[in-house]
């Protein structure tokens, strides 16, 4: 009967109930989305750097080298000699040294020249076609293929550089020989070609006659290697070591205050939702006092009345949480398609943030219900029974 | 207290904040009898019922009222709540029914708040609704009932748990003659079955009916202004 009473009380004022659920759901959904998206972007950034212990590039800004080599977000400081990469590969503390050569782009995405090891390092799996075997062959990442419509058999022209000022290498088109399956890493967004393609396209563009790469992605043979290799690399002329984990942490630390503001904003949204819940409950109570007085006269103890009011509050928050889950799912799905292509979204992680939001909202709902319960406990039953 | 007396009041006073105290004289009520409490509006008829029914607390120094062997003076809220619905059946002054529930759910309310409703309770509810001639309205919403029908549903609810004492506060206010007759008949039947009833009313028509139907079981107490 208590459950029926809760549902009946809610059904009696459907619009007020729907408004309270909507406000609560919007507050919860916004808060969950903010926190989840922040975590999603952080884990996405970490995932891109996974397995890359050190980035070796030309001397200059270490952060710039990491942004350019790991995330393809910046321009490199310069080139390094391929012979230096070979020398690094021979170092006993180095497990892998993968040269990559940048320079061109297609539809704003990097064309990365490298070896077969690059694709296996990122765990690339073909969705269609084959791996590149000859210069000017290219495999295209899933997101890039989806965005540009490139498919096996197509050809495209690389533009020198990235961005609006890029000039095209019309005479040397790339052939699409394969399309990669999406894997949530940066290769979803790029085209990969043998490093020889980059040399071929840029023949005569550089003064150097030596074979060059832009970066070497280094995987060390253990923590000792990660600790000692940078000093060794930095001692080499023209080489600079950058540790992605350190540079990313440094970058994120400088944005700590943004994270704090974002989280505070999320907390304000949840508290505002709970304040609207409290207002709605108090308004409902004012109308329902005679009914609650009647229940008391029928023998319902204060505990029963408290259970009804609390149950109503928790049911409201529960429904709002379900609506919030739908909103967050739609929002993240939409963002993934439009603003965050290639960001791997974990459903389990989303459920964790939703569940944490639900628990916090439930706890806050209990707190928000205390003033309502207090008023319920002080209802003058005799006066109510005599006054209507 | 003699074995047959369900309720014994020696003296009882109650004071609402900012108002003069109301004093009630001694009275006693045994099982199978009824007491009509009459008096002008504001004389304290409802207050007396609220004190006996445990809706209002009887302060420890405000006299003595023993209901079914339990002293009401100084009784805790939880104990007073437990008087209803098994010992005291309550019919409020107005037809308080919860609009979100059907008539039958309103009638079952006091029992269903306390225990799981069983077949016996359902059958008694059906019996009461038939006796009060509203069985065809059992699934109706209270908002669709006339005042008389709602009053009868309220009486059915008060009697459902077979309480030892029925407290009816102005049960026939604004009722038509047919409804008054049905209410009076049902209260008389309850008393005839061994129940005790206190009815607060200044309805002379109801008084005449109850006096006729309850005969020697009928008693009357007038409260002064």
């Amino acid at each position: 009967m208590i459950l029926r009473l809760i549902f009946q009380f809610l059904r009696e004022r459907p619009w007020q109930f729907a408004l309270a659920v909507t406000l609560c759901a919007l507050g919860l959904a916004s808060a969950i989305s903010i926190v989840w998206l922040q975590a999603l972007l952080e884990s996405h950034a970490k995932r891109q750097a996974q397995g890359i212990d050190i980035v070796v590039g030309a001397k200059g800004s270490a952060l710039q080298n990491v942004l350019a080599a790991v995330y393809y977000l910046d321009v490199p400081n310069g080139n390094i000699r391929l012979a230096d990469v070979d020398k690094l590969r021979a170092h006993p503390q180095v497990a892998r040294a993968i040269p990559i050569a940048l320079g061109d782009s297609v539809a704003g995405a990097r064309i990365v020249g490298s070896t077969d090891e690059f694709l296996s390092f990122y765990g690339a799996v073909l969705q269609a076609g084959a791996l590149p075997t000859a210069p000017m062959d290219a495999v295209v990442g899933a997101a890039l293929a989806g965005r540009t419509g490139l498919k096996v058999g197509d050809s495209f022209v690389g533009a020198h550089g990235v961005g609006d000022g890029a000039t095209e290498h019309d005479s040397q088109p790339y052939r699409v020989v394969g399309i990669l399956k999406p894997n949530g890493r940066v290769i979803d967004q790029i085209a990969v070609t043998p490093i020889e393609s980059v040399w071929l396209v840029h023949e005569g563009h550089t003064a150097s006659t030596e074979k060059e790469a832009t970066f070497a992605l280094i995987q060390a043979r253990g923590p000792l290697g990660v600790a000692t290799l940078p000093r060794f690399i930095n001692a080499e002329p023209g080489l600079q070591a950058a540790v992605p984990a350190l540079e990313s942490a440094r970058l994120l630390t400088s944005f700590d205050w943004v994270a704090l503001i974002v989280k505070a904003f999320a907390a304000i949204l949840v508290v505002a939702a709970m304040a609207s819940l409290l207002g709605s409950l108090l308004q409902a109570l004012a109308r329902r006092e005679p009914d609650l007085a009647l229940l008391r006269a029928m023998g319902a103890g204060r505990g029963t009345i408290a259970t009804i009011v609390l149950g109503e509050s928790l049911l409201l928050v529960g429904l709002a949480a379900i609506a919030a889950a739908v909103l967050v799912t739609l929002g993240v799905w939409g963002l993934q398609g439009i603003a965050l292509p290639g960001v791997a979204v974990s459903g389990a992680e989303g459920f964790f943030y939703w569940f944490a939001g639900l628990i916090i909202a439930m706890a806050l709902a209990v707190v928000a219900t205390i003033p309502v319960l207090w008023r319920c406990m002080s209802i003058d039953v005799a006066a109510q029974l005599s006054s209507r | 207290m003699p074995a047959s007396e369900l309720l014994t009041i020696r003296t009882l006073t109650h004071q609402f904040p900012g108002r003069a105290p109301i004093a009630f004289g001694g009275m006693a009520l045994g099982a199978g009898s009824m007491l009509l409490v009459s008096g002008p509006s504001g004389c304290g008829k409802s207050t007396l019922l609220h004190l006996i029914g445990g809706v209002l607390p009887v302060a420890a120094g405000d006299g003595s009222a023993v209901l079914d062997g339990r002293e009401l003076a100084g009784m805790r809220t939880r104990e007073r709540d437990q008087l209803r619905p098994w010992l005291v059946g309550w019919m409020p002054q107005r037809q308080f029914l919860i609009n979100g529930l059907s008539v039958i759910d309103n009638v079952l309310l006091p029992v269903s708040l306390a225990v799981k409703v069983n077949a016996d309770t359902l059958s008694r509810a059906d019996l009461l609704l038939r006796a009060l001639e509203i069985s065809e309205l059992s699934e109706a919403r209270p908002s669709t009932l006339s005042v008389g029908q709602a009053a009868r549903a309220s009486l059915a609810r008060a009697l459902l748990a077979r309480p030892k004492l029925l407290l009816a506060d102005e049960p026939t206010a604004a009722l038509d003659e047919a409804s008054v007759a049905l209410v009076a008949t049902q209260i008389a039947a309850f008393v005839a079955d061994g129940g005790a009833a206190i009815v607060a009313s200044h309805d002379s028509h109801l008084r005449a009916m109850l006096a006729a139907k309850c005969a020697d079981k009928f008693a009357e107490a007038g409260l002064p202004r």
Side-chain angles (χ1 to χ4, degrees), chain A residues 185-205:
Chain A
R185 298 196 68 179
V186 77
I187 52 162
D188 287 350
Q189 314 285 340
I190 59 175
V192 182
T193 184
I195 197 165
E196 292 81 4
S197 311
V198 181
W199 295 334
L200 200 63
V201 171
H202 295 94
E203 252 174 12
H205 284 240

Side-chain angles (χ1 to χ4, degrees), chain A residues 42-61:
Chain A
E42 271 187 35
S43 69
H44 179 69
K46 278 183 188 156
R47 191 167 148 74
Q48 301 317 311
Q50 200 178 342
I52 306 171
D53 293 324
I54 300 165
V55 168
V56 180
K59 291 227 185 269
S61 159

Side-chain angles (χ1 to χ4, degrees), chain A residues 150-172:
Chain A
L150 285 171
K151 54 189 184 299
V152 176
D154 287 353
S155 59
F156 62 86
V157 174
H160 191 66
V162 183
D164 295 339
T167 53
E168 294 192 335
H169 296 290
D170 297 346
S171 56
Q172 286 157 309

